[in-house]
Amino acid sequence: MQLTNEGIKNKTAWESKGYKLPSYDREKVTANTKANPSWIHFGAGNIFRAFQANAVEKLLEDGTMDTGLIVAEGYDYEIIEKYNRPCDNLSILATLKADGTVEKTVIGSIVEACILDEENKAEIERLREIFRAPSLQMVSFTITEKGYKTRAYMNKVVGLILERYKAGALPISIVSMDNCSHNGDKLKEAVVEIANEWVADGKCEKGFVDYVENPKVVAFPLSMIDKITPRPDDTVKKMLEADGVEGTEPIVTSKNTYVSNFVNAEETEYLVIEDLFPNGRPSLEKAGIIFTDRETVDKTEKMKVCTCLNPLHTALAIFGCLLGYKTIHDEMDDETLKKLVTTLGKEEGMKVVVDPKVLSPQEFLDAVLTKRLPNPFMPDTPQRIACDTSQKLPIRFGETIKAYRASHTLSTDSLRVIPVVLAGYLRYLEGIDDEGNPFEQSPDPLLDELKALSPKDVLKRKDVFGVDLYEDSLAKRVLEIHSEMVGKGNVRRELEKL
């Protein structure tokens, strides 16, 4: 079973093993896309293949769309050269369900793969041609927050937007789909800064800055994305190999990207986008993507980051490191930790949750607790989630503390779990686990600085907690709990006591 245009013609072999194959005319879709491209995406990584490409797949299957996706890679060209093109841009999506079943789909919606390399004349000319197309409605990105700060990458992107300006200042929506706060604003900031510099250097006319700053012509919507797509998993690889699929061995590029002809991902996914599309957009709401106003996107992000997912992740990360766990799903088999995060979300967080209305906070939280965190197929680790904890605490816990303090009916005196998590963080900073063994803390820009302080002084850091913990009884309670956690077995004892 070869994942190529020719290979999937052997329908019986694939379908007998439970794979869903594209039923639309992929050749026709490819020709339509070449003639009238509507959506190009930058960042050929796993989340794009598991989420955006699957959304378009659904719309091609039901006849809503007749053009596919073009993907461009501007950081790691080997992804395109070693995976996309040899596989004719086909991909296997293994959706890992919480009940232990796997749904296997061959995704054919990506019909062209480009390399964002200005040194390569043929590659860059094709991209310029796409950007000059009046039919182009959306340019999207999953290049991580760092990508918008990478000048070399953004210069190339702005060069392509300039092509669209020169072709008649054509309308376009430029959409960051990266998992960072106010992503559209960050992307716009990077584009406008470069455009202004180019005008100052005489590289382009002032009209270009006016073009990228006019939201009626060039829009930079906000979005909130949520889907876990780990690197290709060995268990899934073995399962596909047993089916007879060839070429599943992951390629590790020289830039250390892990890529295979399959991508594994959880079933739960959310994408909420500010509905700003000056040139129109595909009907992605039919594939479950939510379009709404700016304020609502902001609220969905707050719901997720301050209450329904991220605080639970951080609590599991801290105690996972202290209790010697290697996966998040194993922690959810620990009744004490499961109760800890359930109480954190359902009791403490839900009282002050921001309700965006387009998504139910209760349903979102239930999916996190019953489907996402316990999913045995999701090999996420507490050690990975513990990275940069000092940068995450202000939004993940500080906002809830602020909301309790601002309320006329609530008091931080009623918080039981949050003080325990913060005490756990002080204990984590010591680098000694609950068995008394040293462990390596995850990378964090403030790690060395905070480790050198006493617990009392760490709690004085408003930049770490987002609030002054000494304003009420919180700091005193956190210090008391922390003192009880010191010594072998005492972290577990404190959690069980709670």
Side-chain angles (χ1 to χ4, degrees):
M1 290 161 67
Q2 281 193 334
L3 191 67
T4 59
N5 285 337
E6 200 54 41
I8 63 168
K9 283 180 184 171
N10 184 1
K11 284 189 173 183
T12 313
W14 290 87
E15 288 173 350
S16 67
K17 298 288 185 181
Y19 290 79
K20 186 178 182 300
L21 295 173
S23 65
Y24 51 89
D25 185 339
R26 194 161 180 255
E27 271 184 38
K28 193 176 172 187
V29 168
T30 304
N32 290 347
T33 309
K34 189 132 182 110
N36 295 295
S38 63
W39 182 359
I40 183 167
H41 182 88
F42 287 85
N46 289 336
I47 192 164
F48 161 69
R49 288 166 59 197
F51 198 163
Q52 290 88 342
N54 189 36
V56 174
E57 188 73 13
K58 291 171 189 169
L59 299 185
L60 287 169
E61 284 290 347
D62 70 14
T64 301
M65 285 180 76
D66 64 358
T67 58
L69 270 160
I70 301 168
V71 68
E73 178 57 41
Y75 170 69
D76 195 340
Y77 306 156
E78 285 177 68
I79 297 173
I80 305 297
E81 293 160 345
K82 293 184 175 175
Y83 151 64
N84 280 76
R85 290 175 180 170
C87 288
D88 295 324
N89 296 308
L90 291 164
S91 182
I92 296 168
L93 170 58
T95 303
L96 314 172
K97 305 204 167 190
D99 64 5
T101 59
V102 182
E103 189 177 276
K104 299 173 289 192
T105 312
V106 173
I107 304 287
S109 61
I110 304 164
V111 295
E112 185 176 1
C114 303
I115 291 171
L116 180 57
D117 180 6
E118 289 179 330
E119 308 294 307
N120 186 318
K121 201 174 172 194
E123 296 285 356
I124 199 67
E125 191 42 54
R126 174 57 187 146
L127 281 164
R128 286 171 182 158
E129 190 183 335
I130 292 162
F131 269 74
R132 289 192 292 261
S135 58
L136 191 66
Q137 296 177 317
M138 171 157 57
V139 180
S140 58
F141 296 82
T142 49
I143 58 173
T144 76
E145 190 171 353
K146 289 173 190 162
Y148 309 120
K149 296 170 188 166
T150 308
R151 182 47 76 100
Y153 197 117
M154 290 312 299
N155 274 336
K156 291 186 277 189
V157 169
V158 176
L160 293 172
I161 300 169
L162 181 57
E163 282 295 317
R164 193 161 183 81
Y165 170 71
K166 287 177 182 170
L170 299 168
I172 193 71
S173 194
I174 302 175
V175 191
S176 169
M177 295 180 178
D178 273 301
N179 186 15
C180 57
S181 183
H182 287 212
N183 48 19
D185 294 344
K186 289 185 168 82
L187 178 52
K188 182 174 184 175
E189 203 177 295
V191 169
V192 170
E193 186 182 314
I194 292 168
N196 273 309
E197 282 177 19
W198 285 6
V199 170
D201 293 344
K203 287 184 183 175
C204 62
E205 60 189 45
K206 166 78 169 67
F208 181 51
V209 172
D210 299 336
Y211 170 68
V212 294
E213 285 195 314
N214 181 354
K216 289 181 178 167
V217 189
V218 179
F220 293 87
L222 297 186
S223 73
M224 187 285 286
I225 191 165
D226 183 25
K227 187 173 179 77
I228 299 170
T229 47
R231 63 169 53 162
D233 184 62
D234 206 44
T235 316
V236 178
K237 177 174 88 78
K238 284 175 182 156
M239 183 186 69
L240 301 186
E241 282 173 349
D243 287 343
V245 178
E246 294 178 19
T248 55
E249 192 61 46
I251 298 155
V252 184
T253 70
S254 54
K255 291 194 170 172
N256 214 33
T257 307
Y258 281 69
V259 67
S260 182
N261 64 6
F262 72 92
V263 54
N264 39 250
E266 63 170 351
E267 60 184 310
T268 311
E269 58 187 23
Y270 304 94
L271 178 53
V272 183
I273 306 175
E274 183 182 1
D275 204 352
L276 285 179
F277 290 84
N279 203 28
R281 60 170 174 79
S283 301
L284 292 164
E285 64 277 8
K286 291 182 182 172
I289 290 168
I290 296 167
F291 292 90
T292 183
D293 56 39
R294 187 178 181 85
E295 189 187 353
T296 306
V297 177
D298 211 30
K299 284 180 174 175
T300 58
E301 189 191 317
K302 285 190 171 123
M303 176 198 78
K304 177 185 99 160
V305 175
C306 303
T307 306
C308 294
L309 174 64
N310 298 40
L312 282 63
H313 252 156
T314 291
L316 290 171
I318 289 168
F319 290 115
C321 292
L322 287 168
L323 298 173
Y325 279 104
K326 294 290 178 252
T327 70
I328 293 292
H329 68 78
D330 281 338
E331 287 190 76
M332 290 301 283
D333 288 336
D334 181 322
E335 280 305 314
T336 304
L337 292 176
K338 186 178 173 181
K339 276 184 189 169
L340 178 89
V341 291
T342 302
T343 307
L344 175 60
K346 290 198 163 188
E347 292 179 28
E348 297 191 350
M350 208 45 79
K351 285 174 183 165
V352 291
V353 71
V354 173
D355 185 355
K357 307 294 184 203
V358 293
L359 288 173
S360 155
Q362 285 79 11
E363 285 173 20
F364 189 104
L365 179 60
D366 282 342
V368 167
L369 289 167
T370 61
K371 287 185 182 176
R372 304 181 72 183
L373 297 177
N375 190 333
F377 276 124
M378 300 309 294
D380 220 342
T381 69
Q383 291 73 21
R384 184 190 77 82
I385 294 166
C387 291
D388 304 331
T389 300
S390 70
Q391 312 297 293
K392 296 170 177 175
L393 292 171
I395 187 109
R396 297 186 182 193
F397 296 98
E399 291 303 308
T400 296
I401 293 168
K402 283 181 199 170
Y404 269 74
R405 286 176 175 173
S407 167
H408 298 301
T409 56
L410 298 169
S411 161
T412 57
D413 290 345
S414 68
L415 293 172
R416 293 159 55 239
V417 177
I418 289 177
V420 168
V421 175
L422 300 185
Y425 180 60
L426 295 178
R427 186 71 176 67
Y428 167 89
L429 289 174
E430 292 162 15
I432 304 290
D433 70 18
D434 204 31
E435 292 296 310
N437 303 314
F439 69 90
E440 190 182 341
Q441 293 127 323
S442 303
D444 185 313
L446 294 181
L447 185 62
D448 292 338
E449 196 180 320
L450 295 175
K451 280 167 71 173
L453 298 175
S454 68
K456 195 174 176 181
D457 286 333
V458 172
L459 295 184
K460 287 178 182 169
R461 295 285 293 261
K462 284 191 204 175
D463 58 331
V464 173
F465 300 99
V467 289
D468 178 358
L469 293 172
Y470 286 89
E471 197 178 289
D472 52 25
S473 66
L474 271 175
K476 180 172 175 282
R477 288 165 60 211
V478 171
L479 288 169
E480 283 168 2
I481 298 163
H482 170 253
S483 68
E484 295 291 320
M485 281 183 176
V486 176
K488 191 174 175 179
N490 286 331
V491 172
R492 167 68 67 186
R493 266 190 283 279
E494 277 301 297
L495 290 173
E496 285 176 355
K497 194 165 87 180
L498 172 72

